[in-house]
mmCIF file of all heavy atoms in Angstrom:
data_model
loop_
_atom_site.group_PDB
_atom_site.id
_atom_site.type_symbol
_atom_site.label_atom_id
_atom_site.label_comp_id
_atom_site.label_asym_id
_atom_site.label_seq_id
_atom_site.Cartn_x
_atom_site.Cartn_y
_atom_site.Cartn_z
ATOM 1 N N VAL A 1 -3.955 -4.394 -20.120
ATOM 2 C CA VAL A 1 -3.793 -4.819 -18.736
ATOM 3 C C VAL A 1 -4.760 -5.942 -18.373
ATOM 4 O O VAL A 1 -4.539 -6.682 -17.408
ATOM 5 C CB VAL A 1 -3.961 -3.615 -17.787
ATOM 6 C CG1 VAL A 1 -5.416 -3.272 -17.586
ATOM 7 C CG2 VAL A 1 -3.272 -3.857 -16.454
ATOM 8 N N ASN A 2 -5.843 -6.125 -19.150
ATOM 9 C CA ASN A 2 -6.781 -7.221 -18.894
ATOM 10 C C ASN A 2 -6.173 -8.587 -19.152
ATOM 11 O O ASN A 2 -6.734 -9.606 -18.750
ATOM 12 C CB ASN A 2 -8.026 -7.060 -19.772
ATOM 13 C CG ASN A 2 -8.883 -5.884 -19.356
ATOM 14 O OD1 ASN A 2 -9.038 -5.610 -18.176
ATOM 15 N ND2 ASN A 2 -9.442 -5.177 -20.323
ATOM 16 N N LEU A 3 -5.028 -8.632 -19.824
ATOM 17 C CA LEU A 3 -4.358 -9.905 -20.087
ATOM 18 C C LEU A 3 -3.689 -10.477 -18.842
ATOM 19 O O LEU A 3 -3.348 -11.654 -18.821
ATOM 20 C CB LEU A 3 -3.296 -9.715 -21.180
ATOM 21 C CG LEU A 3 -3.790 -9.339 -22.574
ATOM 22 C CD1 LEU A 3 -2.629 -8.846 -23.416
ATOM 23 C CD2 LEU A 3 -4.463 -10.524 -23.234
ATOM 24 N N PHE A 4 -3.517 -9.663 -17.836
ATOM 25 C CA PHE A 4 -2.704 -10.055 -16.685
ATOM 26 C C PHE A 4 -3.563 -10.002 -15.425
ATOM 27 O O PHE A 4 -3.647 -8.960 -14.756
ATOM 28 C CB PHE A 4 -1.488 -9.131 -16.564
ATOM 29 C CG PHE A 4 -0.700 -9.002 -17.837
ATOM 30 C CD1 PHE A 4 -0.948 -7.959 -18.721
ATOM 31 C CD2 PHE A 4 0.265 -9.937 -18.168
ATOM 32 C CE1 PHE A 4 -0.232 -7.827 -19.892
ATOM 33 C CE2 PHE A 4 0.985 -9.826 -19.346
ATOM 34 C CZ PHE A 4 0.739 -8.774 -20.215
ATOM 35 N N ASP A 5 -4.198 -11.110 -15.110
ATOM 36 C CA ASP A 5 -5.134 -11.149 -13.990
ATOM 37 C C ASP A 5 -4.437 -10.890 -12.654
ATOM 38 O O ASP A 5 -4.950 -10.152 -11.807
ATOM 39 C CB ASP A 5 -5.848 -12.503 -13.954
ATOM 40 C CG ASP A 5 -6.744 -12.709 -15.165
ATOM 41 O OD1 ASP A 5 -7.203 -11.693 -15.730
ATOM 42 O OD2 ASP A 5 -6.969 -13.864 -15.563
ATOM 43 N N GLU A 6 -3.290 -11.517 -12.449
ATOM 44 C CA GLU A 6 -2.604 -11.355 -11.169
ATOM 45 C C GLU A 6 -2.131 -9.916 -10.977
ATOM 46 O O GLU A 6 -2.267 -9.347 -9.878
ATOM 47 C CB GLU A 6 -1.419 -12.322 -11.097
ATOM 48 C CG GLU A 6 -1.831 -13.799 -11.079
ATOM 49 C CD GLU A 6 -0.621 -14.707 -11.010
ATOM 50 O OE1 GLU A 6 0.444 -14.235 -10.565
ATOM 51 O OE2 GLU A 6 -0.729 -15.876 -11.409
ATOM 52 N N ALA A 7 -1.580 -9.329 -12.026
ATOM 53 C CA ALA A 7 -1.120 -7.944 -11.915
ATOM 54 C C ALA A 7 -2.293 -6.999 -11.698
ATOM 55 O O ALA A 7 -2.201 -6.036 -10.933
ATOM 56 C CB ALA A 7 -0.342 -7.554 -13.165
ATOM 57 N N LYS A 8 -3.392 -7.281 -12.375
ATOM 58 C CA LYS A 8 -4.574 -6.434 -12.223
ATOM 59 C C LYS A 8 -5.112 -6.526 -10.795
ATOM 60 O O LYS A 8 -5.470 -5.508 -10.178
ATOM 61 C CB LYS A 8 -5.634 -6.869 -13.224
ATOM 62 C CG LYS A 8 -6.800 -5.897 -13.380
ATOM 63 C CD LYS A 8 -7.710 -6.356 -14.502
ATOM 64 C CE LYS A 8 -8.881 -5.405 -14.676
ATOM 65 N NZ LYS A 8 -9.791 -5.844 -15.761
ATOM 66 N N GLU A 9 -5.151 -7.721 -10.259
ATOM 67 C CA GLU A 9 -5.600 -7.891 -8.885
ATOM 68 C C GLU A 9 -4.646 -7.204 -7.911
ATOM 69 O O GLU A 9 -5.062 -6.618 -6.913
ATOM 70 C CB GLU A 9 -5.691 -9.385 -8.566
ATOM 71 C CG GLU A 9 -6.078 -9.707 -7.125
ATOM 72 C CD GLU A 9 -7.474 -9.184 -6.774
ATOM 73 O OE1 GLU A 9 -8.303 -9.007 -7.696
ATOM 74 O OE2 GLU A 9 -7.724 -8.955 -5.580
ATOM 75 N N PHE A 10 -3.362 -7.252 -8.223
ATOM 76 C CA PHE A 10 -2.367 -6.584 -7.386
ATOM 77 C C PHE A 10 -2.616 -5.078 -7.362
ATOM 78 O O PHE A 10 -2.544 -4.436 -6.305
ATOM 79 C CB PHE A 10 -0.966 -6.884 -7.924
ATOM 80 C CG PHE A 10 0.151 -6.374 -7.065
ATOM 81 C CD1 PHE A 10 0.730 -7.186 -6.112
ATOM 82 C CD2 PHE A 10 0.622 -5.074 -7.202
ATOM 83 C CE1 PHE A 10 1.767 -6.719 -5.310
ATOM 84 C CE2 PHE A 10 1.644 -4.594 -6.410
ATOM 85 C CZ PHE A 10 2.225 -5.424 -5.463
ATOM 86 N N MET A 11 -2.932 -4.501 -8.527
ATOM 87 C CA MET A 11 -3.200 -3.054 -8.586
ATOM 88 C C MET A 11 -4.469 -2.706 -7.839
ATOM 89 O O MET A 11 -4.549 -1.698 -7.144
ATOM 90 C CB MET A 11 -3.288 -2.601 -10.048
ATOM 91 C CG MET A 11 -1.953 -2.550 -10.758
ATOM 92 S SD MET A 11 -2.061 -1.801 -12.407
ATOM 93 C CE MET A 11 -2.778 -3.128 -13.343
ATOM 94 N N PHE A 12 -5.488 -3.545 -7.980
ATOM 95 C CA PHE A 12 -6.767 -3.248 -7.354
ATOM 96 C C PHE A 12 -6.724 -3.427 -5.838
ATOM 97 O O PHE A 12 -7.434 -2.740 -5.114
ATOM 98 C CB PHE A 12 -7.861 -4.138 -7.935
ATOM 99 C CG PHE A 12 -8.186 -3.812 -9.366
ATOM 100 C CD1 PHE A 12 -8.984 -4.647 -10.104
ATOM 101 C CD2 PHE A 12 -7.694 -2.666 -9.959
ATOM 102 C CE1 PHE A 12 -9.287 -4.354 -11.426
ATOM 103 C CE2 PHE A 12 -7.990 -2.357 -11.267
ATOM 104 C CZ PHE A 12 -8.777 -3.199 -12.006
ATOM 105 N N SER A 13 -5.892 -4.360 -5.382
ATOM 106 C CA SER A 13 -5.846 -4.634 -3.948
ATOM 107 C C SER A 13 -4.743 -3.868 -3.229
ATOM 108 O O SER A 13 -4.625 -3.947 -2.008
ATOM 109 C CB SER A 13 -5.640 -6.135 -3.716
ATOM 110 O OG SER A 13 -4.376 -6.547 -4.202
ATOM 111 N N GLY A 14 -3.924 -3.163 -3.999
ATOM 112 C CA GLY A 14 -2.827 -2.427 -3.372
ATOM 113 C C GLY A 14 -1.719 -3.326 -2.883
ATOM 114 O O GLY A 14 -0.877 -2.909 -2.089
ATOM 115 N N GLY A 15 -1.685 -4.576 -3.376
ATOM 116 C CA GLY A 15 -0.628 -5.483 -2.987
ATOM 117 C C GLY A 15 -0.728 -5.981 -1.564
ATOM 118 O O GLY A 15 0.187 -6.633 -1.073
ATOM 119 N N ASP A 16 -1.848 -5.674 -0.864
ATOM 120 C CA ASP A 16 -2.031 -6.102 0.529
ATOM 121 C C ASP A 16 -0.865 -5.654 1.409
ATOM 122 O O ASP A 16 -0.432 -6.365 2.306
ATOM 123 C CB ASP A 16 -2.188 -7.624 0.609
ATOM 124 C CG ASP A 16 -3.485 -8.076 -0.034
ATOM 125 O OD1 ASP A 16 -4.441 -7.280 -0.041
ATOM 126 O OD2 ASP A 16 -3.533 -9.211 -0.535
ATOM 127 N N SER A 17 -0.329 -4.483 1.122
ATOM 128 C CA SER A 17 0.822 -4.004 1.887
ATOM 129 C C SER A 17 0.698 -2.502 2.057
ATOM 130 O O SER A 17 0.415 -1.780 1.095
ATOM 131 C CB SER A 17 2.130 -4.354 1.168
ATOM 132 O OG SER A 17 3.204 -3.660 1.743
ATOM 133 N N ASN A 18 0.926 -2.042 3.288
ATOM 134 C CA ASN A 18 0.878 -0.602 3.540
ATOM 135 C C ASN A 18 1.987 0.141 2.808
ATOM 136 O O ASN A 18 1.803 1.279 2.356
ATOM 137 C CB ASN A 18 0.976 -0.334 5.042
ATOM 138 C CG ASN A 18 -0.298 -0.716 5.762
ATOM 139 O OD1 ASN A 18 -1.340 -0.879 5.138
ATOM 140 N ND2 ASN A 18 -0.211 -0.862 7.072
ATOM 141 N N ASP A 19 3.167 -0.502 2.676
ATOM 142 C CA ASP A 19 4.275 0.153 1.985
ATOM 143 C C ASP A 19 3.940 0.373 0.517
ATOM 144 O O ASP A 19 4.209 1.439 -0.044
ATOM 145 C CB ASP A 19 5.545 -0.697 2.112
ATOM 146 C CG ASP A 19 6.045 -0.768 3.547
ATOM 147 O OD1 ASP A 19 5.732 0.167 4.315
ATOM 148 O OD2 ASP A 19 6.732 -1.751 3.888
ATOM 149 N N ILE A 20 3.359 -0.656 -0.121
ATOM 150 C CA ILE A 20 3.004 -0.518 -1.533
ATOM 151 C C ILE A 20 1.865 0.477 -1.689
ATOM 152 O O ILE A 20 1.838 1.279 -2.626
ATOM 153 C CB ILE A 20 2.634 -1.893 -2.124
ATOM 154 C CG1 ILE A 20 3.875 -2.794 -2.140
ATOM 155 C CG2 ILE A 20 2.064 -1.750 -3.522
ATOM 156 C CD1 ILE A 20 3.628 -4.183 -2.680
ATOM 157 N N LEU A 21 0.907 0.451 -0.747
ATOM 158 C CA LEU A 21 -0.183 1.420 -0.785
ATOM 159 C C LEU A 21 0.357 2.841 -0.695
ATOM 160 O O LEU A 21 -0.072 3.735 -1.438
ATOM 161 C CB LEU A 21 -1.153 1.150 0.366
ATOM 162 C CG LEU A 21 -2.232 2.220 0.603
ATOM 163 C CD1 LEU A 21 -3.107 2.378 -0.625
ATOM 164 C CD2 LEU A 21 -3.069 1.869 1.824
ATOM 165 N N GLN A 22 1.304 3.051 0.187
ATOM 166 C CA GLN A 22 1.889 4.385 0.319
ATOM 167 C C GLN A 22 2.600 4.797 -0.971
ATOM 168 O O GLN A 22 2.529 5.955 -1.389
ATOM 169 C CB GLN A 22 2.873 4.394 1.496
ATOM 170 C CG GLN A 22 3.515 5.742 1.769
ATOM 171 C CD GLN A 22 2.516 6.776 2.267
ATOM 172 O OE1 GLN A 22 1.409 6.422 2.659
ATOM 173 N NE2 GLN A 22 2.912 8.038 2.232
ATOM 174 N N SER A 23 3.277 3.849 -1.628
ATOM 175 C CA SER A 23 3.947 4.157 -2.895
ATOM 176 C C SER A 23 2.933 4.539 -3.963
ATOM 177 O O SER A 23 3.160 5.465 -4.748
ATOM 178 C CB SER A 23 4.776 2.954 -3.361
ATOM 179 O OG SER A 23 5.798 2.654 -2.441
ATOM 180 N N PHE A 24 1.809 3.803 -3.994
ATOM 181 C CA PHE A 24 0.758 4.144 -4.955
ATOM 182 C C PHE A 24 0.248 5.571 -4.736
ATOM 183 O O PHE A 24 0.045 6.333 -5.681
ATOM 184 C CB PHE A 24 -0.410 3.165 -4.834
ATOM 185 C CG PHE A 24 -0.179 1.861 -5.548
ATOM 186 C CD1 PHE A 24 -0.732 0.690 -5.052
ATOM 187 C CD2 PHE A 24 0.561 1.808 -6.703
ATOM 188 C CE1 PHE A 24 -0.535 -0.517 -5.709
ATOM 189 C CE2 PHE A 24 0.766 0.610 -7.367
ATOM 190 C CZ PHE A 24 0.225 -0.559 -6.867
ATOM 191 N N LEU A 25 0.034 5.921 -3.473
ATOM 192 C CA LEU A 25 -0.477 7.255 -3.176
ATOM 193 C C LEU A 25 0.531 8.342 -3.541
ATOM 194 O O LEU A 25 0.165 9.407 -4.049
ATOM 195 C CB LEU A 25 -0.837 7.346 -1.694
ATOM 196 C CG LEU A 25 -1.973 6.418 -1.234
ATOM 197 C CD1 LEU A 25 -2.140 6.490 0.272
ATOM 198 C CD2 LEU A 25 -3.272 6.771 -1.934
ATOM 199 N N LEU A 26 1.821 8.067 -3.310
ATOM 200 C CA LEU A 26 2.845 9.033 -3.694
ATOM 201 C C LEU A 26 2.917 9.180 -5.210
ATOM 202 O O LEU A 26 3.071 10.293 -5.733
ATOM 203 C CB LEU A 26 4.205 8.601 -3.129
ATOM 204 C CG LEU A 26 4.373 8.715 -1.612
ATOM 205 C CD1 LEU A 26 5.709 8.114 -1.181
ATOM 206 C CD2 LEU A 26 4.279 10.167 -1.165
ATOM 207 N N VAL A 27 2.808 8.054 -5.927
ATOM 208 C CA VAL A 27 2.811 8.113 -7.390
ATOM 209 C C VAL A 27 1.625 8.922 -7.885
ATOM 210 O O VAL A 27 1.730 9.710 -8.832
ATOM 211 C CB VAL A 27 2.795 6.690 -7.987
ATOM 212 C CG1 VAL A 27 2.541 6.742 -9.486
ATOM 213 C CG2 VAL A 27 4.109 5.981 -7.719
ATOM 214 N N HIS A 28 0.488 8.730 -7.246
ATOM 215 C CA HIS A 28 -0.701 9.485 -7.643
ATOM 216 C C HIS A 28 -0.479 10.983 -7.469
ATOM 217 O O HIS A 28 -0.834 11.798 -8.335
ATOM 218 C CB HIS A 28 -1.888 9.018 -6.812
ATOM 219 C CG HIS A 28 -3.138 9.815 -7.035
ATOM 220 N ND1 HIS A 28 -3.594 10.139 -8.290
ATOM 221 C CD2 HIS A 28 -4.020 10.370 -6.165
ATOM 222 C CE1 HIS A 28 -4.708 10.851 -8.192
ATOM 223 N NE2 HIS A 28 -4.980 11.010 -6.909
ATOM 224 N N LYS A 29 0.117 11.376 -6.345
ATOM 225 C CA LYS A 29 0.365 12.797 -6.100
ATOM 226 C C LYS A 29 1.403 13.350 -7.072
ATOM 227 O O LYS A 29 1.282 14.483 -7.549
ATOM 228 C CB LYS A 29 0.825 12.992 -4.655
ATOM 229 C CG LYS A 29 -0.255 12.679 -3.629
ATOM 230 C CD LYS A 29 0.257 12.888 -2.213
ATOM 231 C CE LYS A 29 -0.838 12.592 -1.197
ATOM 232 N NZ LYS A 29 -0.374 12.811 0.192
ATOM 233 N N ILE A 30 2.421 12.545 -7.380
ATOM 234 C CA ILE A 30 3.417 12.980 -8.370
ATOM 235 C C ILE A 30 2.761 13.163 -9.731
ATOM 236 O O ILE A 30 3.052 14.124 -10.458
ATOM 237 C CB ILE A 30 4.568 11.959 -8.445
ATOM 238 C CG1 ILE A 30 5.364 11.955 -7.132
ATOM 239 C CG2 ILE A 30 5.479 12.236 -9.626
ATOM 240 C CD1 ILE A 30 6.380 10.842 -7.039
ATOM 241 N N HIS A 31 1.880 12.232 -10.071
ATOM 242 C CA HIS A 31 1.165 12.331 -11.348
ATOM 243 C C HIS A 31 0.340 13.610 -11.407
ATOM 244 O O HIS A 31 0.334 14.320 -12.432
ATOM 245 C CB HIS A 31 0.274 11.105 -11.528
ATOM 246 C CG HIS A 31 -0.611 11.169 -12.732
ATOM 247 N ND1 HIS A 31 -0.121 11.100 -14.014
ATOM 248 C CD2 HIS A 31 -1.959 11.308 -12.846
ATOM 249 C CE1 HIS A 31 -1.126 11.177 -14.873
ATOM 250 N NE2 HIS A 31 -2.248 11.298 -14.191
ATOM 251 N N LYS A 32 -0.354 13.927 -10.326
ATOM 252 C CA LYS A 32 -1.142 15.155 -10.287
ATOM 253 C C LYS A 32 -0.245 16.386 -10.398
ATOM 254 O O LYS A 32 -0.595 17.368 -11.070
ATOM 255 C CB LYS A 32 -1.954 15.210 -8.994
ATOM 256 C CG LYS A 32 -3.097 14.195 -8.927
ATOM 257 C CD LYS A 32 -4.118 14.449 -10.021
ATOM 258 C CE LYS A 32 -5.293 13.490 -9.911
ATOM 259 N NZ LYS A 32 -6.268 13.698 -11.020
ATOM 260 N N ALA A 33 0.915 16.337 -9.755
ATOM 261 C CA ALA A 33 1.841 17.466 -9.840
ATOM 262 C C ALA A 33 2.368 17.624 -11.266
ATOM 263 O O ALA A 33 2.508 18.752 -11.768
ATOM 264 C CB ALA A 33 2.998 17.260 -8.864
ATOM 265 N N MET A 34 2.667 16.506 -11.916
ATOM 266 C CA MET A 34 3.118 16.565 -13.308
ATOM 267 C C MET A 34 2.016 17.093 -14.218
ATOM 268 O O MET A 34 2.282 17.871 -15.145
ATOM 269 C CB MET A 34 3.553 15.173 -13.774
ATOM 270 C CG MET A 34 4.894 14.715 -13.249
ATOM 271 S SD MET A 34 5.369 13.129 -13.964
ATOM 272 C CE MET A 34 7.072 13.022 -13.423
#
């Protein structure tokens, strides 16, 4: 993932969007459930 600066910044910043942030949080909870 270090090869992709823009994608890495997108992950670290949450895409500067509440919708994407909410998706990240849901994915995290799904991951914990799995």
